Amino acid sequence: MKRLLPLLLTVLLLSACGEQSLPAESSLPESSAAENSAAESQAEEVSEEPSSEESAVPESSAESSAEGTALTPVRTLEGDYEAMVPANFRRGVTPRPARVTVEEPLFFAVQQNGLWGLIDEKGVEILPCQGEELVYLCPEGHWSWYSDIRTDPLKWDTLSAKVEQATGYPLCPGHGGSSYQLFATTPGEAPRYFGGVEGGHGIEELKPEDTRGDAFFPTQYTDLFYYEGEAVDIEPGGYWNFADVEGNVLCPDEKFDQVGWFSGEALAPVQKDRKWAYVDAEGKFVTGFVYESCWGSNYFYNPDTEEYELEEPCYTYSLWEGFAPVVRDGQWGVLDETGKEIIPCQYEAGAPYPGGAFLKKDGVWGLYLLKTDF
């Protein structure tokens, strides 16, 4: 019964509304050639097509790319927000299957004075920055927003009706959480689906929607936990990689701490020792491990304490129509589908946008569109 504690903890942690998963933190992998050269990548120039032995695009090549890009925002936002995160963003790094698939129109969770609210992509306020946690669209199609207004049913219902009229989705009334994962016990084994809602967990075969249409998708390699002869959970620990439906591994020589989705893009993010790199669809590194986590929070298993601990931020962004905001040395820039910093990392904050990014400079958020076929 003692071994059921992680499963019970999962249910307790996820009892509030949300799509929180509990991916296990892996053991530290061996350093790759790309990682060994990462420290040199910020000062040295590399070739146009970096291999796993070459590091991230240096600032010099990023600056030259930026010089050929019109860095004039198509619009700016009035709010002095500390952070922005797409609130209905299903193409993020989180390695769970897609459940909520809303993408249009776009809404952004915004933070001001440490509290969260919701705006549309033009900056119109939908929810004031009064929530204690990030606003996001839960698996049931409700806006999760934790604020003091919850204690006043009349105000809550009135506000929920206004939010639904503006976005098509009401405020979340609160319900059980969910947890799901794609996993395999050994490389070469076909991945399976583990998950459930409100404590009802189980193991199932993959469905087409679980892979998001990607040939290779995030897969956790870990053991099953059995209770009274029945597999009821997956063991914490292990590592991450990409696998296809037959079990073929994209990066067979690697054991990542976390990985993100391709979601139909040319690159996907991978993490080792708390740093992120990007790989292409053939499993080749196009950057070194030089980028930092820049958004999201999650509970990760700490094998030393045998507890799940909150890490924030814990993810970096996947590409969205060819571009992704990235953070290096605490500064934000934009990566393109070749692995180049098309905008160098010198901005205060950022957020993804299809074909571009929101970037903050001198306290002002601007939307930069970089896709040439707009």
Side-chain angles (χ1 to χ4, degrees):
M1 188 65 183
K2 184 177 180 180
R3 286 294 288 107
L4 286 176
L5 286 177
L7 178 60
L8 295 175
L9 180 60
T10 299
V11 177
L12 290 175
L13 289 172
L14 301 175
S15 59
C17 167
E19 195 185 357
Q20 303 283 342
S21 67
L22 296 177
E25 188 169 348
S26 75
S27 58
L28 295 178
E30 297 181 358
S31 297
S32 67
E35 184 179 9
N36 291 336
S37 62
E40 302 173 0
S41 66
Q42 299 174 27
E44 298 181 358
E45 293 188 359
V46 297
S47 66
E48 290 297 320
E49 298 179 357
S51 67
S52 61
E53 296 181 352
E54 297 174 310
S55 293
V57 175
E59 292 185 20
S60 59
S61 63
E63 289 170 356
S64 63
S65 298
E67 288 175 357
T69 304
L71 294 182
T72 302
V74 297
R75 61 173 174 271
T76 58
L77 303 180
E78 293 184 4
D80 184 17
Y81 303 118
E82 298 147 16
M84 287 179 61
V85 178
N88 54 337
F89 189 42
R90 76 176 180 92
R91 299 166 66 86
V93 67
T94 46
R96 50 183 176 256
R99 289 295 180 242
V100 178
T101 58
V102 177
E103 291 197 54
E104 297 291 345
L106 299 179
F107 301 97
F108 289 83
V110 288
Q111 187 182 48
Q112 195 171 51
N113 299 321
L115 298 176
W116 290 92
L118 184 70
I119 63 173
D120 66 18
E121 61 179 298
K122 294 183 179 180
V124 177
E125 181 181 283
I126 297 169
L127 287 170
C129 291
Q130 298 177 4
E132 298 177 358
E133 299 179 12
L134 181 79
V135 182
Y136 61 94
L137 201 60
C138 80
E140 301 299 322
H142 309 129
W143 292 113
S144 179
W145 184 62
Y146 295 93
S147 77
D148 293 339
I149 297 179
R150 277 181 174 272
T151 61
D152 189 324
L154 181 58
K155 286 185 178 179
W156 182 262
D157 291 343
T158 301
L159 181 59
S160 179
K162 291 181 178 179
V163 171
E164 184 172 13
Q165 183 177 11
T167 68
Y169 299 90
L171 294 178
C172 186
H175 51 74
S178 62
S179 174
Y180 34 89
Q181 202 82 11
L182 302 182
F183 79 98
T185 56
T186 59
E189 177 186 79
R192 287 176 287 172
Y193 169 93
F194 167 80
V197 179
E198 300 185 10
H201 292 70
I203 299 170
E204 304 173 9
E205 298 301 316
L206 287 186
K207 302 179 182 64
E209 61 267 24
D210 293 332
T211 68
R212 296 190 182 180
D214 287 341
F216 286 90
F217 44 86
T219 301
Q220 182 184 6
Y221 289 88
T222 185
D223 294 326
L224 286 169
F225 171 59
Y226 291 84
Y227 179 71
E228 295 183 350
E230 182 180 357
V232 296
D233 204 348
I234 54 177
E235 293 277 8
Y239 63 93
W240 288 86
N241 210 307
F242 301 93
D244 63 14
V245 293
E246 296 178 350
N248 298 306
V249 179
L250 182 63
C251 304
D253 296 328
E254 301 290 346
K255 294 183 178 181
F256 300 114
D257 298 338
Q258 297 185 83
V259 299
W261 289 88
F262 280 97
S263 293
E265 301 286 346
L267 308 177
V270 294
Q271 186 195 48
K272 281 204 246 180
D273 298 334
R274 299 184 180 277
K275 291 289 189 176
W276 292 89
Y278 285 80
V279 298
D280 64 19
E282 296 181 354
K284 297 178 181 178
F285 288 90
V286 298
T287 78
F289 287 86
V290 296
Y291 296 110
E292 300 153 21
S293 296
C294 58
W295 77 283
S297 61
N298 213 335
Y299 286 87
F300 293 85
Y301 183 76
N302 186 334
D304 296 328
T305 63
E306 297 184 348
E307 299 286 346
Y308 284 97
E309 299 176 358
L310 180 66
E311 183 179 336
E312 182 178 17
C314 59
Y315 303 124
T316 193
Y317 285 108
S318 296
L319 272 63
W320 199 359
E321 293 191 13
F323 301 92
V326 290
V327 174
R328 180 164 51 81
D329 299 329
Q331 298 290 302
W332 290 72
V334 178
L335 197 77
D336 71 8
E337 60 186 2
T338 71
K340 290 183 178 180
E341 287 177 17
I342 191 71
I343 297 180
C345 291
Q346 59 186 23
Y347 289 79
E348 302 162 18
Y353 190 89
F358 277 102
L359 294 170
K360 181 181 179 182
K361 193 171 185 65
D362 298 328
V364 178
W365 285 89
L367 174 58
Y368 298 84
L369 296 182
L370 305 172
K371 202 168 183 179
T372 57
D373 58 353
F374 277 166

